[in-house]
């Protein structure tokens, strides 16, 4: 990406904001604004035609907000989010370590964001999640955006983790289970053993098959999870605490 | 294990077990045998125990939580005497039938004493019953009060958020900056409107109600900036009668309605979006109608949308007017309109 111009797309329903961003980007010869879109639908069409490698994306657009574009594009270009202060959106950006600009965009911050985009590797973020947070899960060449509370369990698969979602689907991603365990809220998630984390609210059909064997199911899945005596005891204790 | 039972049964079980240990020594002395004492308890006090169940049933039906102490004392007296009368045949009938009862001599006086004793027992039970009920009611009222306070705070917060519409402010600043950069005209008016809007917001931040005239002026300031931002995309037709300016309305109600209309109009219809605002008096009511071209979109899952403008307004109206208001969303062909009717009070 270095030393070449970036083809950028501006996505915002506000014509003045588009115009202003274009004006500010005129200072940056490394960015070539290839197109503008006023809705998620137009943005998708433009992405197909122009293959931009950078999108300035306003998140507060009615009828399909900016986040939904993130899920629909494959491959996903680099994204710099833009918002006029919206606490929910800002929290999502922080938690997921994505770059964002607040309106009115300051020329200095815009320059910083472009510099970071060109010269720095993507940041990793370790702030703990809250149950209301949205998390961007890499999925294919794009993202899936899910609420933390919609994760019903996470299983370790060697170097990967499989994130099980309440709708029955799952996302396989390269992130160790330990990191999940450190970031997920303890009030909702529990790790009975080293290769599994469960959402306590999603655990059901708990059957104590014998003194040394317990099975349970997770919401959205038919498969039963089975565990031995000690993890079973730990899980039962966590479930009891969670239900009190 | 005891926790599985309701509060009533917890007290009932623990109370009667405690009572058993209380009277056991006396009964033991009278009957002279431990087994006989236990048997006597089970028969006589078991019968009393069973009689407390219909008593509870009756108390539950008649007690509504607001009766006077005298009323409660009266019903306790009546119920206790009745229950003791019902138990009399048991007390009397047992005479002579059971070997361990022989040692007690039943005279009329003894029977009277036993009757009196049962009345007292039932009365004590009832006092405990009502005591616990009253305390429980008090605790529930406190919880409800706390809920109401929390609800009130939520409504308050929503109003303040609508008032300090930071989203709008930053968008407006963006528009002003853009206009300056492009050396467009009308910047002075834009900055003046923004200042007036901010002023209005700060002035009324503690008021539940404001004059509709002030509300309409603030809406005008808001629209100056939205027009500048959206340009030819937006077409506004605003009709607010001068005669309604003295009517009091909930603070910040017009602007969120219009904001909603602009937002969803832009999303669901090809430009230009037309927004029609009409406020007028209809007999003793004030009619507020905001309509926009476009289609009605069902609010997605709340958490995805973030703020739900209309739901917030409804909650505030609920809080301020109870059921003395009317709010309806109409969707026909290419128009969506929100109609609100509130009492026209000045």
């Amino acid at each position: 990406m270095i030393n070449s111009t970036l083809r950028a797309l501006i996505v915002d329903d506000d014509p003045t904001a588009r115009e202003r961003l274009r004006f500010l980007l005129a200072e940056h010869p490394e960015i070539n604004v290839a197109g503008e879109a006023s809705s998620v639908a137009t943005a998708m069409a433009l992405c197909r035609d122009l293959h931009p490698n950078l999108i300035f994306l306003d998140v507060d657009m009615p009828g399909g907000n900016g986040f939904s574009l993130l899920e629909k594009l494959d491959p996903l270009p680099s994204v710099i989010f833009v918002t006029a202060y919206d606490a929910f959106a800002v929290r999502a950006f922080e938690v997921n370590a994505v770059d964002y600009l607040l309106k009115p965009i300051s020329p200095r911050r815009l320059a910083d964001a472009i510099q970071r985009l060109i010269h720095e590797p993507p940041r990793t973020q370790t702030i703990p999640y809250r149950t209301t947070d949205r998390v961007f899960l890499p999925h294919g060449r794009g993202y899936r955006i899910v609420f933390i509370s919609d994760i019903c369990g996470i299983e370790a698969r060697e170097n990967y983790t499989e994130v099980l979602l309440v709708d029955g689907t799952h996302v396989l991603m390269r992130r160790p289970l330990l990191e999940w365990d450190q970031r997920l809220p303890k009030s909702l998630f529990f790790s009975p053993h080293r290769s599994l984390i469960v959402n306590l609210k999603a655990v059901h059909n708990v059957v104590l098959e014998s003194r040394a064997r317990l099975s349970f199911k997770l919401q959205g899945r038919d498969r039963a999870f089975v565990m031995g005596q000690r993890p079973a005891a730990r899980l039962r204790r966590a479930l009891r605490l969670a239900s009190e | 294990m005891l926790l599985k039972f309701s509060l009533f049964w917890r007290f009932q079980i623990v109370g009667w077990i405690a009572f058993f240990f209380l009277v056991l020594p006396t009964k033991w002395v009278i009957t002279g045998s431990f087994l006989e004492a236990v048997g006597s308890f089970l028969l006589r006090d078991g019968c009393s125990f069973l009689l407390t169940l219909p008593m509870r049933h009756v108390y539950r039906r008649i007690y509504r939580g607001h009766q006077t102490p005298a009323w409660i004392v009266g019903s306790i007296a009546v119920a206790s005497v009745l229950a003791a009368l019902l138990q009399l045949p048991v007390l009397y009938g047992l005479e002579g039938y059971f070997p361990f009862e022989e040692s007690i001599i039943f005279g009329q006086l003894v029977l009277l004493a036993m009757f009196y004793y049962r009345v007292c027992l039932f009365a004590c039970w009832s006092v405990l019953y009502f005591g616990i009920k009253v305390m429980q009611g008090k605790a529930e009222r406190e919880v409800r009060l706390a809920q109401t306070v929390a609800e009130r705070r939520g409504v308050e917060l929503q109003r303040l958020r609508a008032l300090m519409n930071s989203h709008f402010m930053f968008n407006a600043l963006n528009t002003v900056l853009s206009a300056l950069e492009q050396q467009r005209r009308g910047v002075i008016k834009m900055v003046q409107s923004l200042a007036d809007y901010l002023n209005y917001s700060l002035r009324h931040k503690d008021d539940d109600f404001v004059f509709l005239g002030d509300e309409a002026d603030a809406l005008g300031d808001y629209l100056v900036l939205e027009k500048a931002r959206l340009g030819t995309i937006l077409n506004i037709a605003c009709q607010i009668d001068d005669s309604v300016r003295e009517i009091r309305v909930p603070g910040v109600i017009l602007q969120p309605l219009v904001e909603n209309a602009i937002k969803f109009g832009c999303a669901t219809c090809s430009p230009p979006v037309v927004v029609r605002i009409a406020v007028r008096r209809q007999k003793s009511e004030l009619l507020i109608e905001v309509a926009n071209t476009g289609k009605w979109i069902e609010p997605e899952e709340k958490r995805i949308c973030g703020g739900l403008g209309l739901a917030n307004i409804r909650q505030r109206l609920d809080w301020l007017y109870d059921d003395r208001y009317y709010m309806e969303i109409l969707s026909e062909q290419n128009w969506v309109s929100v109609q609100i009717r509130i009492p026209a009070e000045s």
Side-chain angles (χ1 to χ4, degrees):
Chain A
M1 250 187 240
I2 301 168
N3 294 333
S4 65
T5 49
L6 292 172
R7 257 193 328 280
L9 191 67
I10 298 174
V11 184
D12 195 325
D13 60 328
D14 176 347
T16 313
R18 289 200 302 270
E19 180 195 53
R20 177 149 197 271
L21 185 53
R22 203 185 251 277
F23 173 80
L24 294 177
L25 284 171
E27 299 287 310
H28 297 269
E30 67 275 32
I31 308 265
N32 164 34
V33 179
E36 287 181 14
S38 61
S39 70
V40 169
T42 359
M44 296 218 355
L46 279 180
C47 280
R48 270 196 300 275
D49 296 343
L50 303 171
H51 301 287
N53 31 29
L54 171 62
I55 297 182
F56 288 94
L57 178 58
D58 181 75
V59 283
D60 359 81
M61 284 184 297
N65 69 24
F67 287 121
S68 62
L69 183 64
L70 214 61
E71 291 190 298
K72 287 173 183 153
L73 291 182
D74 182 16
L76 184 71
S78 304
V79 174
I80 294 178
F81 286 99
V82 181
T83 181
Y85 188 79
D86 169 348
F88 293 108
V90 168
R91 170 76 193 170
F93 304 146
E94 296 280 349
V95 166
N96 292 286
V98 293
D99 236 318
Y100 67 94
L101 296 166
L102 290 174
K103 285 184 193 172
I105 295 170
S106 101
R108 191 167 50 80
R109 292 200 185 279
L110 178 66
D112 288 349
I114 291 168
Q115 282 308 304
R116 266 199 303 275
L117 184 75
I118 295 174
H119 298 294
E120 284 176 26
R123 286 176 295 160
T124 49
Q125 185 55 276
T126 50
I127 4 174
Y129 293 123
R130 296 180 199 147
T131 44
T132 49
D133 276 340
R134 274 173 289 203
V135 55
F136 300 179
L137 304 177
H139 183 53
R141 285 180 295 175
Y143 277 114
R144 267 202 73 174
I145 299 172
V146 301
F147 281 91
I148 285 293
S149 53
D150 284 347
I151 296 176
C152 62
I154 299 173
E155 274 192 290
R157 293 257 181 275
E158 290 168 14
N159 292 327
Y160 292 81
T161 40
E162 193 173 278
V163 183
L164 313 172
L165 302 170
V166 278
D167 62 3
T169 60
H170 64 88
V171 176
L172 191 66
M173 61 184 289
R174 198 183 192 100
R175 182 191 280 185
L177 196 77
L178 185 68
E179 192 188 320
W180 278 113
D181 194 34
Q182 281 162 352
R183 293 187 66 188
L184 285 171
K186 295 277 176 283
S187 57
L188 195 58
F189 290 90
F190 179 73
S191 176
H193 58 71
R194 268 185 310 175
S195 56
L196 180 69
I197 294 173
V198 292
N199 178 336
L200 293 170
K201 286 232 174 82
V203 173
H204 63 98
N205 275 25
V206 183
V207 179
L208 201 57
E209 294 182 348
S210 73
R211 264 174 58 91
R213 213 175 121 91
L214 174 141
S215 77
F216 64 87
K217 287 187 178 172
L218 283 177
Q219 199 181 333
R221 291 197 155 56
D222 293 329
R223 193 180 119 209
F225 292 78
V226 177
M227 41 201 46
Q229 191 169 9
R230 289 177 62 184
R234 275 205 293 274
L235 180 66
R236 288 173 70 198
R237 198 175 322 127
L239 285 170
R240 242 194 333 270
L241 285 177
S243 67
E244 265 166 22
Chain B
M1 188 203 90
L2 208 56
L3 287 173
K4 279 184 193 161
F5 295 101
S6 68
L7 191 68
F8 169 79
W9 279 104
R10 268 182 259 169
F11 274 102
Q12 181 82 329
I13 293 167
V14 172
W16 283 97
I17 290 174
F19 183 63
F20 169 74
F21 287 109
L22 188 75
V23 296
L24 185 69
T26 324
K27 285 205 187 263
W28 197 344
V29 168
I30 294 172
T31 56
S33 136
F34 176 73
L35 271 183
E36 281 181 22
V38 173
S40 158
F41 178 85
L42 286 180
L43 276 170
R44 293 165 185 281
D45 300 286
C47 177
S48 300
F49 168 83
L50 288 177
L51 276 167
T52 57
L53 300 181
M55 278 173 80
R56 178 210 185 192
H57 188 73
V58 172
Y59 284 159
R60 252 174 135 177
R61 295 213 133 186
I62 56 176
Y63 181 62
R64 288 276 169 269
H66 49 69
Q67 279 91 347
T68 57
W71 185 92
I72 293 175
V73 170
S75 31
I76 288 178
V78 172
S80 303
V81 170
L82 275 175
L85 278 174
L86 277 171
Q87 190 161 7
L88 210 57
V90 178
L91 297 175
Y92 194 73
L94 285 178
E95 188 187 4
Y97 280 97
F98 294 92
F100 52 76
E101 296 283 348
E102 278 170 13
S103 48
I104 312 169
I105 308 138
F106 276 92
Q108 266 188 347
L109 203 63
V110 175
L111 206 60
L112 202 66
M114 292 187 88
F115 173 72
Y116 176 70
Y117 167 71
R118 289 289 146 184
V119 171
C120 288
L121 187 67
F122 285 123
C124 284
W125 182 91
S126 306
V127 167
L128 268 176
Y129 177 86
F130 280 107
I132 292 164
K133 266 269 177 262
V134 166
M135 259 158 33
Q136 218 182 348
K138 215 166 151 188
E140 268 167 21
R141 267 197 302 282
E142 265 162 28
V143 169
R144 255 204 306 279
L145 193 72
Q147 274 169 351
T148 317
V149 169
E151 213 170 90
R152 159 95 227 187
R153 206 171 288 155
V155 168
E156 189 82 338
L157 209 64
Q158 273 171 15
R159 193 177 62 82
L160 285 180
R161 272 212 199 107
L163 208 55
M164 296 290 160
N165 191 337
S166 50
H167 209 89
F168 158 69
M169 300 271 182
F170 286 122
N171 271 329
L173 284 170
N174 201 47
T175 310
V176 170
L177 278 174
S178 178
L180 285 170
E181 282 158 0
Q182 308 293 327
Q183 303 186 326
R184 257 196 296 262
R185 301 204 292 163
V187 180
I188 293 176
K189 194 177 175 201
M190 277 156 64
V191 175
Q192 186 62 60
S193 295
L194 186 56
D196 288 346
Y197 184 85
L198 190 60
N199 226 324
Y200 169 82
S201 303
L202 292 173
R203 206 167 55 235
H204 294 294
K205 75 179 179 355
D206 297 321
D207 306 335
D208 277 338
F209 291 94
V210 294
F211 287 117
L212 183 60
D214 292 342
E215 183 74 5
D217 292 343
L219 179 69
D221 293 329
Y222 170 81
L223 286 174
V224 164
L225 288 145
E226 286 296 273
K227 275 296 280 182
R229 183 169 77 93
L230 296 167
T232 50
I233 295 177
L234 182 64
N235 214 327
I236 298 271
C238 184
Q239 198 178 33
I240 300 178
D241 294 351
D242 273 344
S243 61
V244 293
R245 288 183 67 94
E246 302 299 308
I247 292 174
R248 282 179 180 277
V249 294
V252 210
I253 188 169
L254 289 181
Q255 183 270 330
L257 284 172
V258 174
E259 183 177 347
N260 214 61
I262 294 174
K263 195 169 136 185
F264 287 99
C266 285
T268 58
C269 93
S270 47
V273 176
V274 184
V275 174
R276 253 184 357 216
I277 305 156
V279 183
R280 61 177 177 274
R281 186 198 280 269
Q282 249 178 10
K283 290 173 194 158
S284 64
E285 283 183 324
L286 184 74
L287 177 73
I288 300 172
E289 186 176 5
V290 176
N292 63 274
T293 49
K295 289 187 188 67
W296 169 248
I297 328 179
E298 282 303 318
E300 296 168 89
E301 275 185 68
K302 196 174 177 178
R303 54 189 190 175
I304 291 171
C305 259
L308 269 175
L310 294 182
N312 285 355
I313 290 175
R314 196 184 285 276
Q315 200 186 343
R316 271 162 54 204
L317 291 175
D318 246 354
W319 176 263
L320 293 168
Y321 293 109
D322 222 354
D323 55 0
R324 294 184 303 136
Y325 79 96
Y326 167 90
M327 177 169 170
E328 195 180 39
I329 300 159
L330 299 166
S331 169
E332 46 191 308
Q333 297 209 325
N334 291 320
W335 283 89
V336 177
S337 77
V338 179
Q339 283 187 5
I340 293 176
R341 284 206 300 265
I342 50 175
E345 290 157 353
S346 47

